[in-house]
Amino acid sequence: MPERRLHIVSFDYPYPPNFGGIIDVFFKIKALHKIGYKIYLHTFSEEIPKSCPELDAITEQVFYYRFSYNPLLFFSGIPYSVMSRNDSTLLNNLKSIDAPILFEALKTTYLVNKKQLEGFKKILRLHNIEQDYYKGVSKSEKSLVKKIAFAFEQLKYQSYEQTIRSFNHVLALSRFEEQYINRKFGNASYVPVFHGNESVAKLGGSGTYALYHGDLNTADNRKAVRFLIDAFADIPGFKLVIASGSGESFVRDVIRQQANVEFVPLVDFKHLKSLMMAAHINISWSFQKSGTKLKVVNALFNGRFCIINNNIIDDPAVSDLCITAKDRKQLINAVNRLKAVPFDDYERRQQVLKTHLDDGANALLIDQILSETIAKVPA
């Protein structure tokens, strides 16, 4: 495999890879490095770290940029999440190294919108249909101020989305997003999420509880937790464990005296894997359709039964490994049906995940798309 150079512009610092989009970014970099790419990583960050051996090992160079928190940015016609990732040194750093540019999420594309990278080969990794994402966040949010702010972000992205026309190709995270972009712009391919799991846990028999995990700083996850706690009030003989690195006081307030729900403070991914492997059922639930949820991918690699709703993943090969429930009643029925059934689907799961969710194979898919894209674009 010949060595190639690639800029990657990340919307957030990708280490440690501990939430959805950043997991995809980190393990994509790792997989592309493994097949011979020299990666020049440009990442926005709250704090500039002194060093990061884990990133240094898989990149040629890392450039850091700080988020802008200027409140006046809210009054721009461009989405705040884009404006806050506009650093004056990014342009010069990109121009200093001749390589195609992979932008992680539409929120990193200020320079593209302003036509300052004309002549560069540009690929977009689409992490969401942003206006749909912010519409869902606005609906789930309880705070009136945040609800209004997210609604304005939704409106801004509806027009900002035209920036996608400036890209040579788009890598979509879901079938729905691939179809949406091809319908409007005609230049998308589905590339499944990168996740870092190398093998499927060989589990059988029974676990001891149902598990939900997620970042409880997000409105959609808090809404899902309220929904699940309410549903498990009608499944008194089976325990629900909610694991998160945030939101403990919120969960404990919602639980009150409900004996079959427990909150577990999440330490790290190793701890999460142990919780998934001990669970009998892993539940992934969302009230907004936005890409592919990493939580179900991790659960399929590291757990037994998986219950999802329709907003979690839309790749039928993968969703067929799960039990899909559309509402509270179907969820309760699924839990009651599965809680006494031993798990024995390891062989089929291993074959499907190896075929559809292999990081190495999907890195080669990106390599092929990049090669074809570069060949099509005049020098």
Side-chain angles (χ1 to χ4, degrees):
M1 180 67 63
E3 188 175 74
R4 293 182 178 176
R5 299 197 292 185
L6 179 67
H7 292 287
I8 295 182
V9 184
S10 178
F11 57 89
D12 208 336
Y13 184 52
Y15 196 85
N18 54 9
F19 70 91
I22 282 306
I23 293 172
D24 179 69
V25 174
F26 177 82
F27 288 108
K28 187 187 310 104
I29 294 170
K30 188 174 181 179
L32 288 169
H33 169 77
K34 191 172 182 179
I35 64 170
Y37 272 84
K38 282 187 174 181
I39 304 294
Y40 297 87
L41 174 64
H42 305 259
T43 179
F44 289 87
S45 182
E46 294 275 356
E47 300 292 337
I48 307 301
K50 292 180 180 179
S51 65
C52 182
E54 294 82 1
L55 283 178
D56 292 341
I58 58 176
T59 60
E60 196 70 13
Q61 192 171 356
V62 183
F63 300 88
Y64 294 97
Y65 312 92
R66 290 189 185 276
F67 295 106
S68 173
Y69 293 102
N70 184 345
L72 296 177
L73 298 180
F74 281 107
F75 298 100
S76 170
I78 294 175
Y80 176 81
S81 53
V82 176
M83 292 296 296
S84 61
R85 292 171 174 83
N86 171 30
D87 188 290
S88 59
T89 61
L90 175 59
L91 178 61
N92 290 334
N93 289 337
L94 290 171
K95 286 185 172 181
S96 69
I97 300 163
D98 183 21
I101 309 169
L102 173 59
F103 289 84
E104 294 285 350
L106 203 52
K107 62 186 70 172
T108 65
T109 64
Y110 178 86
L111 294 175
V112 180
N113 177 262
K114 293 301 180 181
K115 309 296 183 184
Q116 293 181 283
L117 289 169
E118 298 298 288
F120 279 78
K121 283 84 174 179
K122 300 180 289 293
I123 307 291
L124 173 66
R125 173 56 147 178
L126 193 74
H127 284 256
N128 291 298
I129 306 297
E130 296 290 355
Q131 61 267 32
D132 290 354
Y133 171 77
Y134 281 103
K135 180 180 180 180
V137 172
S138 180
K139 287 175 65 177
S140 296
E141 183 57 62
K142 296 293 185 182
S143 162
L144 180 60
V145 173
K146 290 182 179 180
K147 187 181 285 288
I148 293 170
F150 290 138
F152 275 114
E153 199 78 344
Q154 173 203 344
L155 293 173
K156 292 176 183 180
Y157 267 115
Q158 287 175 356
S159 57
Y160 187 84
E161 185 185 59
Q162 295 302 313
T163 304
I164 292 173
R165 296 189 185 279
S166 298
F167 286 90
N168 302 110
H169 207 81
V170 178
L171 309 177
L173 261 173
S174 71
R175 294 290 186 187
F176 166 77
E177 290 167 355
E178 177 193 32
Q179 293 163 9
Y180 175 87
I181 297 299
N182 278 330
R183 199 163 54 242
K184 296 192 74 171
F185 307 108
N187 60 346
S189 299
Y190 169 56
V191 178
V193 67
F194 289 79
H195 50 82
N197 293 287
E198 296 180 355
S199 61
V200 178
K202 194 169 185 177
L203 299 174
S206 300
T208 55
Y209 51 79
L211 174 68
Y212 173 88
H213 71 276
D215 177 7
L216 298 185
N217 288 316
T218 68
D220 182 57
N221 287 346
R222 291 196 299 272
K223 187 174 181 179
V225 163
R226 292 188 190 95
F227 169 81
L228 293 175
I229 291 172
D230 176 70
F232 270 76
D234 286 343
I235 317 173
F238 196 62
K239 184 166 73 171
L240 171 66
V241 171
I242 298 165
S244 181
S246 58
E248 181 172 1
S249 59
F250 156 73
V251 175
R252 296 198 186 283
D253 181 58
V254 177
I255 292 172
R256 296 189 180 91
Q257 302 301 316
Q258 196 166 321
N260 68 328
V261 183
E262 176 185 349
F263 179 85
V264 174
L266 199 55
V267 178
D268 53 24
F269 186 64
K270 183 180 179 180
H271 182 207
L272 175 60
K273 283 178 69 172
S274 70
L275 291 171
M276 288 189 288
M277 292 174 74
H280 190 61
I281 301 169
N282 284 270
I283 302 176
S284 299
W285 202 274
S286 176
F287 289 93
Q288 61 188 73
K289 191 177 185 70
S290 57
T292 297
K293 303 294 191 297
L294 257 298
K295 59 186 69 178
V296 71
V297 174
N298 285 328
L300 286 169
F301 272 93
N302 299 290
R304 293 180 178 82
F305 293 109
C306 292
I307 298 176
I308 63 173
N309 69 341
N310 288 324
N311 293 332
I312 298 298
I313 191 167
D314 66 357
D315 184 333
V318 180
S319 62
D320 282 353
L321 297 173
C322 307
I323 296 89
T324 301
K326 296 180 180 180
D327 53 30
R328 183 181 187 277
K329 181 179 179 181
Q330 288 188 8
L331 171 67
I332 292 171
N333 289 341
V335 172
N336 282 327
R337 178 168 57 87
L338 294 173
K339 64 185 182 182
V341 177
F343 178 78
D344 64 353
D345 202 25
Y346 166 76
E347 297 296 339
R348 181 173 73 107
R349 182 177 292 186
Q350 182 187 44
Q351 183 58 44
V352 171
L353 296 180
K354 184 178 180 181
T355 302
H356 291 269
L357 288 176
D358 179 83
D359 283 357
N362 290 325
L364 291 172
L365 177 56
I366 291 180
D367 176 62
Q368 179 185 345
I369 291 168
L370 281 168
S371 299
E372 292 173 355
T373 299
I374 291 168
K376 288 178 184 177
V377 179

